[in-house]
């Protein structure tokens, strides 16, 4: 059975103390739902800024339903790349995941599908599971191009990978028009795209792999709409921005399956 995921992308938020407070509050709430997480195969993933990663190793020790990762990694192995953080460095903190291809990275840091492919590859090589993001901008949806856009993002970046690698990837569908706007994709719009993506995985790899791949939704997912979104058969959880910074809200999302 594929995993259900409540993933929190903190983006560039939370000082060290704020991060510790947020995780402590979340752990306190989550302690009441251990059985629920177990029975529903739920994993909670935290994606803080790099500065929190080492702390999370300690804070999340002995928490089987929690794991964490970085929001980005370098495409390079190591060396003279001032300001960059490598996949192996991230892995050395105990992190198991990394977000690759978030639309904010594509937009503000000009990350192309080719660079994202390299990032996903180096992440996998260093024991990190990529959460690979895809999604169209509003103008593309208005022209009905959303399926072609998502297909090209996936095929240019990851569909040439080996089966063993593709199995480790989590896909996040994040329509750019829904990110941070308060405009959420309808459950039907999310389902339609998730089913399309699952079908692409089946076509490029196998039905078995497609059925095992977690495909999560991101874009103004919150405590009020998570349940409806997650009730869709191909929506396996959420990649949550703003609402993941409020312990109670993110906790509610994590219990919305
Ligand atoms: P919001 O939940 O704030 O819309 O952000 C979504 C997102 O970009 C998660 O990666």
């Amino acid at each position: 059975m594929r995993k259900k995921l409540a993933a929190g992308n903190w983006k560039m938020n939370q000082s060290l103390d704020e991060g510790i407070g947020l995780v402590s509050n979340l752990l306190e709430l989550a302690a009441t739902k251990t059985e629920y997480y177990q029975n529903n195969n739920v994993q909670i993933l935290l994606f803080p800024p790099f500065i929190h990663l080492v702390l999370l190793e300690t804070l999340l020790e002995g928490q089987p339903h929690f794991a964490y990762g970085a929001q980005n990694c370098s495409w390079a192995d190591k060396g003279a790349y001032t300001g960059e953080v490598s996949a192996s460095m991230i892995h050395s903190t105990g992190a198991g995941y990394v977000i690759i291809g978030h639309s904010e990275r594509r937009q503000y840091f000009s990350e192309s599908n080719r660079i994202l492919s390299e990032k996903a590859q180096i992440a996998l090589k260093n024991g990190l599971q990529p959460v690979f993001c895809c999604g169209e901008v509003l103008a593309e949806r208005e022209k009905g191009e959303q399926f072609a856009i998502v297909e090209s993002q996936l095929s240019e970046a990851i569909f040439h990978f080996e089966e063993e690698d593709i199995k480790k990837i989590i896909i996040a569908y994040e329509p750019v028009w829904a990110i941070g706007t308060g405009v959420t994709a309808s459950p039907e719009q999310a389902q339609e795209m998730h089913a399309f993506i699952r079908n692409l995985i089946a076509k490029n790899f196998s039905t078995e792999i497609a059925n095992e791949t977690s495909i999560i939704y991101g874009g103004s997912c919150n405590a009020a709409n998570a349940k409806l979104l997650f009730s869709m058969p191909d929506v396996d959880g959420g990649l949550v921005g703003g609402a993941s910074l409020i312990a109670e809200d993110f906790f509610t999302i994590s219990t919305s399956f």
Side-chain angles (χ1 to χ4, degrees):
M1 186 168 76
R2 58 182 181 256
K3 270 188 197 153
K4 306 225 169 29
L5 300 170
N9 173 9
W10 296 3
K11 308 195 178 181
M12 198 171 73
N13 294 294
Q14 305 297 82
S15 67
L16 206 50
D17 284 349
E18 288 166 345
I20 294 171
L22 176 58
V23 175
S24 308
N25 290 341
L26 186 59
L27 286 176
E28 210 175 304
L29 293 163
T32 62
K33 288 285 183 183
T34 314
E35 221 167 292
Y36 171 87
Y37 295 138
Q38 184 69 36
N39 293 342
N40 292 282
N41 199 19
V42 177
Q43 179 103 52
I44 301 169
L45 302 180
L46 302 181
F47 292 95
F50 291 121
I51 62 152
H52 298 275
L53 289 177
V54 173
L55 265 174
L56 284 195
E57 183 172 26
T58 312
L59 286 173
L60 299 181
E61 206 185 330
Q63 298 284 345
H65 306 297
F66 280 81
Y68 60 97
Q71 299 170 14
N72 177 38
C73 70
S74 175
W75 48 264
D77 236 346
K78 64 191 287 196
Y81 300 99
T82 302
E84 287 291 272
V85 178
S86 74
S88 72
M89 288 155 70
I90 293 164
H91 187 254
S92 74
T93 72
Y97 298 83
V98 61
I99 297 175
I100 303 280
H102 193 283
S103 64
E104 287 149 18
R105 302 287 322 171
R106 294 176 188 263
Q107 182 184 351
Y108 303 128
F109 303 93
S110 308
E111 293 189 354
S112 63
N113 289 330
R114 191 183 60 77
I115 286 287
L116 296 174
S117 184
E118 289 181 23
K119 289 190 174 198
Q121 240 149 357
I122 205 154
L124 287 160
K125 195 178 114 200
N126 286 282
L128 297 175
Q129 282 188 250
V131 176
F132 187 85
C133 302
C134 57
E136 78 286 357
V137 300
L138 185 59
E140 290 161 344
R141 179 162 280 264
E142 283 173 346
K143 283 187 271 172
E145 293 171 356
Q146 65 270 29
F147 298 109
I149 292 294
V150 166
E151 181 165 5
S152 71
Q153 289 170 337
L154 293 171
S155 44
E156 285 173 32
I158 59 170
F159 277 173
H160 55 286
F161 286 7
E162 300 290 329
E163 280 196 0
E164 281 318 299
D165 282 339
I166 214 77
K167 279 183 189 169
K168 298 185 185 122
I169 295 182
I170 294 158
I171 310 271
Y173 170 55
E174 297 207 309
V176 182
W177 47 271
I179 296 177
T181 58
V183 181
T184 316
S186 69
E188 293 72 23
Q189 284 173 321
Q191 168 58 27
E192 187 183 30
M193 184 60 85
H194 286 224
F196 173 75
I197 294 169
R198 201 176 302 289
N199 194 38
L200 285 179
I201 300 170
K203 261 193 353 212
N204 283 276
F205 297 93
S206 68
T207 310
E208 194 195 339
I209 293 177
N211 287 337
E212 284 301 312
T213 301
S214 296
I215 306 175
I216 59 179
Y217 167 81
S220 300
C221 176
N222 59 39
N225 60 30
K227 215 177 181 72
L228 255 185
L229 285 162
F230 299 175
S231 70
M232 295 289 128
D234 287 294
V235 179
D236 304 314
L239 180 55
V240 184
S244 75
L245 301 174
I246 302 160
E248 290 74 12
D249 288 7
F250 189 55
F251 167 68
T252 301
I253 293 169
S254 76
T255 57
S256 297
F257 295 98

